Amino acid sequence: MPDTPPTFQDLGLSADALAAIAKKGFEEPSPIQQLVIPKLLRNSTDIIAQAQTGTGKTAAFGLPLIEMLNPREFSVQALVLTPTRELAIQVSDEIRSLRSDSRLQVIPVYGGQSFNQQLRSLKKGAHIVVGTPGRVIDHLHRRTLRLEDIEFLVLDEADEMLNMGFIEDMEEIIKHTNPDKRTLLFSATMPPRIKELAKKYLKEQEFITVKQQPLTPRQTEHIYYEVKNAEKFEALCRIIDIEDEFYGLVFCRTKSDVDTVVSQLIERGYDADAIHGDISQDQRERTLMKFRQRRINVLVATDVAARGLDVVDLTHVINYALPQDPESYVHRSGRTGRAGKQGTSITFITPREYQKLLFIQRISKTAIKKSIVPDVKDIIKAKKKKIADEVMEINAQEIGETYHNWAKKLLEHGSESDMLARILYHAYHAELDPDMYDELHTERHSRGQDLEGQARLFVALGKKDSITPPKLVKFIIQNTGVPNELINEVQVYDQFSFITVPFAEAERILAIFQKKNTGKKPLVTKARKKES
Ligand code: AMP
């Protein structure tokens, strides 16, 4: 009889944990969970686990931690170190979503967020701290975080932390921790440096490895833009600008193209750098380190130079020039949409390259959808939204009296809205100036006219609502019955999306959503301006 896989109950979890798991909708434990959960709950050894992000490893350590920590005690009982702030946020959200006792406080601490805000959260009492090494060290130095009593230390994506040059920080953090703690080390790869780290800092240890596909499949959206050579740079800037967080690799054909694009990007104020064959090994290492640490968020490369480059979490791969062959297309775009994250592969083609693109699509068996370069008005709208979000994130207590007094003084000179507008203008007019963008030829052609009886619609749903292009199309089909083949040029951004449909269908869609949302603004509206 074949072995039936264990259930969550078989792993020794409590009724509370099982209820939280059911609420999350997990049906059965993933392979890493089957191995790690019972060992953590029943044994007392340290653990090294080889597993990738996307395999359910957060719940594999998160569920047992929640079971074993005491929410009534007022001390940090577990520290999870992660290489990036995105992962710190993701891990702490996932652990929070798995707990049944809301007194158990899970606090993320990472660079870039206000120190004081984190301080206040820590002071209120944290049981699990999830942090990036640099910021955790800062807190240790300021004595705002004490790790003497922790029972668990989790090194998450340890190989990535080593790649990012965090070894010294990690060692210093470990020195501050309780020597009797249990240590769990998770790593996607097991290079010798990881083994050395484990030998040095882990006690009696069990090694666990799973060969498992990520639970969430690769999610890469493939799109292409038809742009003239002279307009590629403008298109690139717009793609970067409309995203909340762009972290991407831009592929050029030649070394000199790489250099040109990088110097243009830097001139326009982007944090970009280059790797190609003429760059020394030392310089290459330094650049890659900066990219991994997110001190630059645009890396421009040739195919050869990008070989062997292992960076996870890319939001975008941009084919500034069409790759030579389908294999190289697959290879390039495979660098995004990894580990359960959503990624976008964008290809620029000139009209003459269309045949070659069709060939790449056919051989690589990838549907690459035509789309249009973001419109300047939408970019500015996205930037304003981001500014507003950041302003609202500032903690009121942090602002302090000086600024309030200053505000009162300024208000002696004019009305509230007048003064606020002046301040906003002063702070942002350069960043929000539409004139910094060049007009694209497609925009010149389409201004004021509707192309081929198609209408562009704005949908107030985006990546933040877990929308992907296929999900958006499905949503429209389910709500309106408009067939798949009539929904084109689907673009999904963080906050909103666009689709193009024939006029008649547009009328129908608008009417349906108008009816659905009486009183409120409908989910689907006409895009302000017809783009091409
Ligand atoms: P992780 O590898 O921890 O980043 O998890 C990847 C994704 O898989 C997260 O969205 C989890 O919520 C989800 N997940 C974790 N465990 C399971 C499970 N047993 N069944 C289904 N989804 C899961």
Side-chain angles (χ1 to χ4, degrees), residues 313-521:
D313 284 4
L314 292 181
T315 60
H316 288 75
V317 163
I318 313 251
N319 297 301
Y320 200 80
L322 197 62
Q324 292 299 334
D325 46 57
E327 289 75 37
S328 138
Y329 179 86
V330 171
H331 199 155
R332 286 180 181 185
S333 48
R335 293 171 181 281
T336 185
R338 303 219 301 216
K341 301 269 172 58
Q342 162 102 34
T344 309
S345 168
I346 294 177
T347 305
F348 291 164
I349 62 160
T350 58
R352 279 193 296 165
E353 289 175 319
Y354 187 63
Q355 287 303 324
K356 199 164 169 197
L357 182 82
L358 287 182
F359 173 71
I360 289 179
Q361 286 209 55
R362 204 174 62 242
I363 303 296
S364 67
K365 298 196 175 61
T366 312
I368 310 175
K369 277 220 157 201
K370 180 171 178 173
S371 192
I372 39 191
V373 177
D375 178 72
V376 173
K377 282 202 188 116
D378 292 324
I379 296 171
I380 289 175
K381 190 171 162 188
K383 283 183 174 176
K384 279 188 185 160
K385 170 88 178 61
K386 193 173 170 192
I387 292 168
D389 286 348
E390 283 170 5
V391 167
M392 292 321 292
E393 259 176 37
I394 302 173
N395 192 313
Q397 294 155 350
E398 206 169 297
I399 298 169
E401 223 172 304
T402 329
Y403 281 90
H404 282 287
N405 290 340
W406 191 12
K408 280 180 205 142
K409 256 212 145 55
L410 287 173
L411 282 176
E412 289 167 10
H413 302 286
S415 72
E416 284 176 15
S417 68
D418 178 46
M419 289 323 285
L420 189 53
R422 280 169 187 270
I423 303 268
L424 287 172
Y425 178 82
H426 181 71
Y428 300 112
H429 82 278
E431 194 180 329
L432 298 178
D433 181 4
D435 289 341
M436 79 164 117
Y437 297 99
D438 294 331
E439 196 172 36
L440 301 173
H441 80 283
T442 44
E443 293 169 337
R444 282 193 290 279
H445 288 311
S446 72
R447 227 179 308 130
Q449 66 185 62
D450 294 321
L451 226 80
E452 294 156 17
Q454 301 274 321
R456 191 84 170 137
L457 300 181
F458 172 90
V459 186
L461 293 170
K463 289 184 200 163
K464 66 163 198 325
D465 312 294
S466 305
I467 284 288
T468 59
K471 277 195 202 160
L472 181 60
V473 171
K474 203 164 146 199
F475 174 77
I476 299 290
I477 295 172
Q478 280 172 348
N479 280 281
T480 66
V482 170
N484 189 8
E485 59 277 12
L486 294 183
I487 307 172
N488 287 305
E489 300 184 326
V490 180
Q491 280 179 304
V492 176
Y493 297 112
D494 280 317
Q495 309 285 344
F496 45 79
S497 308
F498 292 103
I499 54 168
T500 297
V501 288
F503 277 151
E505 277 66 26
E507 293 299 323
R508 198 160 112 209
I509 294 174
L510 290 172
I512 288 171
F513 281 97
Q514 190 88 51
K515 247 194 231 141
K516 272 187 197 296
N517 264 27
T518 42
K520 273 192 279 165
K521 197 171 177 227

Side-chain angles (χ1 to χ4, degrees), residues 131-368:
T132 49
R135 186 50 75 98
V136 168
I137 292 263
D138 285 347
H139 280 287
L140 286 173
H141 287 170
R142 296 191 194 198
R143 298 182 193 286
T144 44
L145 174 64
R146 291 187 56 229
L147 300 175
E148 288 89 347
D149 297 325
I150 61 165
E151 289 171 39
F152 294 92
L153 170 67
V154 182
L155 305 173
D156 198 7
E157 296 197 359
D159 49 355
E160 236 352 75
M161 286 199 278
L162 293 187
N163 279 342
M164 290 175 68
F166 283 139
I167 181 69
E168 281 163 20
D169 287 351
M170 285 160 76
E171 294 196 317
E172 183 174 351
I173 292 167
I174 293 174
K175 280 193 197 114
H176 281 82
T177 59
N178 169 12
D180 297 327
K181 70 189 171 297
R182 284 175 77 185
T183 305
L184 320 171
L185 182 157
F186 286 85
S187 191
T189 58
M190 284 291 154
R193 288 197 305 157
I194 290 287
K195 293 188 183 134
E196 280 161 32
L197 185 78
K199 203 164 145 202
K200 200 159 159 193
Y201 293 108
L202 269 60
K203 298 187 290 280
E204 189 191 341
Q205 52 198 262
E206 291 189 65
F207 182 79
I208 291 171
T209 178
V210 285
K211 289 226 163 30
Q212 186 201 339
Q213 290 299 316
L215 292 163
T216 32
R218 278 191 180 205
Q219 302 182 14
T220 304
E221 182 191 353
H222 296 264
I223 54 185
Y224 76 91
Y225 296 131
E226 229 180 70
V227 280
K228 293 184 165 174
N229 270 323
E231 294 181 332
K232 285 184 174 178
F233 182 69
E234 173 65 23
L236 175 63
C237 295
R238 292 187 184 196
I239 291 164
I240 299 174
D241 288 355
I242 202 159
E243 295 295 338
D244 265 3
E245 305 241 2
F246 179 95
Y247 182 54
L249 198 53
V250 179
F251 283 98
C252 294
R253 210 183 320 260
T254 66
K255 295 174 211 170
S256 75
D257 289 348
V258 169
D259 286 335
T260 311
V261 171
V262 166
S263 43
Q264 284 176 310
L265 282 170
I266 291 173
E267 199 173 309
R268 202 147 145 177
Y270 295 98
D271 297 319
D273 213 334
I275 51 168
H276 58 59
D278 285 353
I279 284 169
S280 73
Q281 186 61 22
D282 262 11
Q283 179 59 38
R284 179 190 152 91
E285 287 301 316
R286 272 197 300 276
T287 302
L288 287 182
M289 189 63 86
K290 274 198 292 181
F291 189 53
R292 290 199 182 101
Q293 295 180 341
R294 314 260 171 135
R295 283 184 285 139
I296 53 172
N297 66 331
V298 190
L299 184 63
V300 188
T302 54
D303 277 305
V304 175
R307 221 171 266 161
L309 176 123
D310 196 18
V311 180
V312 288
D313 284 4
L314 292 181
T315 60
H316 288 75
V317 163
I318 313 251
N319 297 301
Y320 200 80
L322 197 62
Q324 292 299 334
D325 46 57
E327 289 75 37
S328 138
Y329 179 86
V330 171
H331 199 155
R332 286 180 181 185
S333 48
R335 293 171 181 281
T336 185
R338 303 219 301 216
K341 301 269 172 58
Q342 162 102 34
T344 309
S345 168
I346 294 177
T347 305
F348 291 164
I349 62 160
T350 58
R352 279 193 296 165
E353 289 175 319
Y354 187 63
Q355 287 303 324
K356 199 164 169 197
L357 182 82
L358 287 182
F359 173 71
I360 289 179
Q361 286 209 55
R362 204 174 62 242
I363 303 296
S364 67
K365 298 196 175 61
T366 312
I368 310 175

Side-chain angles (χ1 to χ4, degrees), residues 4-20:
T4 46
T7 62
F8 276 110
Q9 200 159 10
D10 297 335
L11 304 180
L13 290 161
S14 68
D16 279 348
L18 296 175

